[in-house]
Amino acid sequence: MDFTPTEAQAAARDLAAGVFADLATHERLRAAGTGSDQELWKALTGAGLVAAVGELGLLGLVLLLEEQGRTTAQVPYAASCAFGLLAVAAHGTEEQRERLLPGIGDGSVVVAGAFPAQRGVRPAARGGLTGTVPVVPWLRDATHVLVADAGRRLWLVPLGAGGGTGVEETELTAPWSAGRLTLHEAPAEPLGDAPGPGGPGGAYADVLAVARTAFAGLQAGVCAGSLARAVAHTNTREQFGRPLATRQAVQLRAADAHMDVEAIRVTAYEAAWRRDAGLPYATHALTAAWWASEAGQRVVHTGQHLHGGAGADVAHPVHRHFLWGRQLDAYLGSGSEVLQELGELIAHAD
């Protein structure tokens, strides 16, 4: 294994870090409220940082999402790349790739994901899809949504074109522009293979694993940003004439958080690297998701705790990391749920 970024991946990561640092400021995030920052999204797509993911691979996307997570920038980066660009590139027909990938790359097409498989969504008797998805992150920004139906078949549904779809605003713990999706014989085109009699199709399994890996990378950045803020605070905040960082209890909490961040990062890197190398990675994606869920919530709690009373202020920047960390914990699935699925997958493989 070699997780060293290529020259192109490193250049893209550094460019993304600069864009996020310049535009995802505390003041702009407060002004955005619970919506997305369209100016930032245009800057990212204009710099080619969405289209480039097709060449940079999943590991490149994880590196870029780390930089987003450090600033909790409110753009549909992970969703549109995981459920859109990488999904269409891997499982779309030649016609679908030619039609959709340029728009996803330039940001005019934004794809949200109704994942995992939705029990209440099924193909309608007269065609299209019918059902309800209670929560879809970034749905309010999306032009399309990739839906995994009850049979684990993938469908790409255009929004606001020809009827059959309804979007109702829904707020989550983190400001992810989420919505409730209602489908009534909604026009939909299949993406990838249909599930076989023995289980889910390869397209569904791959897209789900890609999404888990991508959002684990996002969590690595969220946690790294939370810890960096805590370190800066405890090095400058004094108690009884000494910085808080000199206290052993503070050092131990921060050290534990650092190890958790590294565990999230390395497991996300490994899953992404294996996918890019064409190796089996389903168990590795679940491992990354488990660390991101279980360790992620520990880290953001630590970041808030080490800020003392300031951490309880909902207007403080560290509070955003707390909200994002808890939302990612819930989105990836609780640690026990993910661990159960991982155990079942390993047992079935044996």
Side-chain angles (χ1 to χ4, degrees), residues 31-239:
T34 61
S36 295
D37 187 334
Q38 295 301 319
E39 182 179 345
L40 174 55
W41 183 238
K42 289 179 181 179
L44 288 170
T45 56
L49 289 170
V50 175
V53 172
E55 297 295 329
L56 299 176
L58 184 53
L59 180 56
L61 176 59
V62 166
L63 293 169
L64 296 171
L65 291 176
E66 270 195 86
E67 299 306 322
Q68 179 188 359
R70 291 179 197 276
T71 59
T72 61
Q74 292 170 204
V75 287
Y77 204 1
S80 203
C81 287
F83 299 120
L85 192 142
L86 292 179
V88 172
H91 304 290
T93 63
E94 183 177 354
E95 186 277 332
Q96 286 174 322
R97 292 194 296 270
E98 291 179 353
R99 171 165 49 91
L100 294 167
L101 289 179
I104 297 173
D106 67 24
S108 60
V109 174
V110 176
V111 184
F115 268 71
Q118 303 296 316
R119 295 181 181 178
V121 177
R122 298 182 182 277
R126 293 188 295 181
L129 289 181
T130 294
T132 301
V133 186
V135 177
V136 180
W138 307 110
L139 184 64
R140 299 187 333 244
D141 293 336
T143 61
H144 295 70
V145 57
L146 185 64
V147 180
D149 69 16
R152 299 189 174 187
R153 184 75 197 270
L154 301 185
W155 303 89
L156 196 61
V157 179
L159 298 174
T165 61
V167 175
E168 180 183 349
E169 183 173 327
T170 300
E171 296 301 343
L172 300 179
T173 300
W176 283 7
S177 295
R180 175 186 176 91
L181 177 66
T182 303
L183 304 169
H184 180 68
E185 298 178 357
E189 57 180 307
L191 185 74
D193 59 338
Y204 172 79
D206 177 59
V207 174
L208 179 58
V210 165
R212 282 169 165 161
T213 305
F215 281 94
L218 183 62
Q219 180 76 301
V222 169
C223 291
S226 175
L227 182 58
R229 291 187 182 279
V231 169
H233 175 80
T234 55
N235 271 289
T236 56
R237 179 73 171 178
E238 291 191 356
Q239 184 182 63

Side-chain angles (χ1 to χ4, degrees), residues 228-289:
R229 291 187 182 279
V231 169
H233 175 80
T234 55
N235 271 289
T236 56
R237 179 73 171 178
E238 291 191 356
Q239 184 182 63
F240 304 118
R242 295 170 56 191
L244 288 172
T246 62
R247 309 295 176 181
Q248 187 178 47
V250 172
Q251 294 172 2
L252 292 175
R253 286 293 303 270
D256 286 343
H258 171 74
M259 295 305 297
D260 276 337
V261 172
E262 290 303 302
I264 299 169
R265 177 181 288 123
V266 74
T267 52
Y269 284 7
E270 182 178 13
W273 175 84
R274 290 183 66 88
R275 199 253 187 188
D276 291 343
L279 299 171
Y281 75 108
T283 56
H284 301 79
L286 277 166
T287 301

